[in-house]
Amino acid sequence: MTETAAKNVKPLFSQEEIAARVTGLAHEIAASEPKRLLAVIVLKGGFVFAADLVRALALENVRLEIEFISLSSYGTRQKTSGEVRVVRDIEVEVAGRDVLIIDDVLDSGLTLKFARDLMQTRGARRAAIAVMVNKPEARRAEIEADYVGFTCPNYFVVGYGMDAAHAWRELPYVGVFESTPSGTG
Ligand code: IMP
Ligand code: MG
């Protein structure tokens, strides 16, 4: 693990731990026997986790359709107004379908609360949420994820899709800065 670690980014959850957790989550999701499953991947951060999760779901014989949504919360990450808007929407109807919203991290919860409310308003039969990292201490909206990879304290994490000032998304593990990060999500 250490030989692949980027300088200054200390692994918190390794590639191996993540792979095992993704397999476990796919198993849990398959056990819920989703009907007409639509995976809604939240860009940009959700793309790495989603790529692994949909393939793990295939190995569980879960068929699904994939759509992408891009959301942005107004203001900076530290001081968000709580206002979320759709930057790029999905392109299919969700009425009557089981939707699985896939994102990188559940932080304040404002983004995923908005996404789930949106899918429910559009008539989804079920709108479940899967995240790789849950940071319960940061929560500002009343929301929990149905499927969580790992729970961690209120660290700023990067890698596995998560960025700091647009960098580090490509790291195959979830890490924390050894020194204070300069960027924001
Ligand atoms: P929310 O605060 O739960 O609405 O999360 C909004 C978005 O902020 C997440 O989808 C991430 O893209 C980003 N974010 C929150 N916490 C972190 C972090 O620790 N690292 C990188 N991005 C983060
Ligand atoms: Mg995000």
Side-chain angles (χ1 to χ4, degrees):
M1 193 63 244
T2 31
E3 68 275 9
T4 61
K7 222 176 170 186
N8 295 328
V9 185
K10 194 177 90 195
L12 185 63
F13 305 117
S14 72
Q15 255 183 284
E16 295 76 12
E17 288 170 310
I18 291 171
R21 205 56 205 105
V22 168
T23 302
L25 291 175
H27 195 71
E28 280 178 50
I29 294 165
S32 75
E33 297 184 6
K35 307 280 179 306
R36 298 176 60 217
L37 184 59
L38 177 67
V40 173
I41 300 165
V42 183
L43 295 175
K44 301 173 183 164
F47 85 105
V48 177
F49 174 41
D52 282 347
L53 188 60
V54 296
R55 286 177 293 175
L57 285 167
L59 297 176
E60 297 277 346
N61 271 308
V62 174
R63 300 274 75 78
L64 53 82
E65 207 180 314
I66 293 174
E67 282 289 323
F68 299 94
I69 195 166
S70 185
L71 303 168
S72 94
S73 43
Y74 224 69
T76 64
R77 209 187 71 82
Q78 283 82 3
K79 213 183 157 203
T80 166
S81 62
E83 202 180 304
V84 179
R85 65 195 172 88
V86 179
V87 176
R88 182 211 185 273
D89 209 343
I90 57 170
E91 294 169 346
V92 299
E93 297 286 321
V94 302
R97 304 187 66 167
D98 282 356
V99 175
L100 180 66
I101 302 164
I102 307 174
D103 204 356
D104 51 1
V105 49
L106 180 54
D107 188 47
S108 74
L110 295 166
T111 310
L112 283 170
K113 168 112 175 53
F114 176 89
R116 196 173 66 184
D117 288 351
L118 185 65
M119 296 304 141
Q120 277 166 347
T121 303
R122 291 176 179 178
R125 193 179 85 111
R126 181 168 182 243
I129 293 172
V131 292
M132 180 52 16
V133 175
N134 179 28
K135 301 196 289 184
E137 290 166 15
R139 205 76 83 247
R140 288 174 57 198
E142 207 162 301
I143 187 158
E144 285 312 322
D146 302 84
Y147 307 100
V148 171
F150 300 97
T151 294
C152 80
N154 204 2
Y155 299 150
F156 191 81
V157 292
V158 295
Y160 203 65
M162 291 172 276
D163 75 305
H166 310 291
W168 308 113
R169 292 193 200 274
E170 69 279 15
L171 295 183
Y173 58 91
V174 175
V176 286
F177 290 103
E178 271 172 318
S179 47
T180 313
S182 53
T184 66

